[in-house]
Amino acid sequence: MQIIDTFKEIWEEASLPLQLQTYQILAITSTSGIMETVTNATSLSTLKKKLKPEETLCKYFENYIGKGTKDLMVAQNNFVESVAATSLICYFLQVKDRHNANILIDREGRIVHIDYGNFFFFFFRKPIN
């Protein structure tokens, strides 16, 4: 998360229209830690279970926020800017294991990635002799 936070700072300094929501993680041992709660968010997996089969994410937000409202336009913008930012992070850092259970969406439409366990396993694993 510190690496991702550094990307966020660079993008903010450059005034790029990218949104990243970071959170604190406290390492307890070499294999465990405590993560700050990401408030007002649900996983895409959970959200998809609540939607009707024909209901899209766009339709969900129109119903939740209000079709044609300024708040909906803000949520759509938040979605686009956060998807762009998280896509770049996953590309630059070669983060794998992305699926709907570890991708959250908050009430304002922002995408938040959690669970970087496989990334860290790959990144810090010992070389095979």
Side-chain angles (χ1 to χ4, degrees):
M1 191 52 58
Q2 290 171 331
I3 295 168
I4 293 169
D5 199 44
T6 300
F7 276 102
K8 180 180 178 179
E9 291 172 7
I10 292 167
W11 292 338
E12 286 174 354
E13 188 176 310
S15 299
L16 295 175
L18 299 170
Q19 295 188 35
L20 276 175
Q21 181 176 343
T22 57
Y23 42 87
Q24 298 296 311
I25 300 173
L26 176 64
I28 303 296
T29 69
S30 63
T31 58
S32 67
I34 299 172
M35 183 183 109
E36 177 184 1
T37 302
V38 179
T39 58
N40 298 320
T42 188
S43 72
L44 290 179
S45 177
T46 300
L47 184 59
K48 284 182 74 172
K49 289 176 187 173
K50 293 179 182 178
L51 298 178
K52 298 173 186 163
E54 68 280 357
E55 195 172 14
T56 64
L57 189 58
C58 182
K59 197 64 150 169
Y60 169 79
F61 269 98
E62 286 177 352
N63 293 337
Y64 175 73
I65 295 173
K67 188 173 183 176
T69 65
K70 183 180 177 186
D71 289 341
L72 179 62
M73 291 176 58
V74 169
Q76 289 172 330
N77 185 67
N78 291 342
F79 181 81
V80 168
E81 290 181 2
S82 63
V83 167
T86 55
S87 296
L88 288 169
I89 291 293
C90 289
Y91 177 76
F92 291 148
L93 300 178
Q94 290 297 290
V95 176
K96 307 293 186 224
D97 192 36
R98 301 292 86 201
H99 51 79
N100 288 342
N102 61 24
I103 301 174
L104 308 180
I105 188 163
D106 72 11
R107 289 185 181 170
E108 287 80 37
R110 290 180 196 88
I111 293 292
V112 182
H113 283 245
I114 61 171
D115 188 4
Y116 293 96
N118 282 356
F119 164 72
F120 290 118
F121 174 75
F122 172 77
F123 196 69
F124 295 109
R125 72 177 181 205
K126 295 179 184 177
I128 300 171
N129 294 331

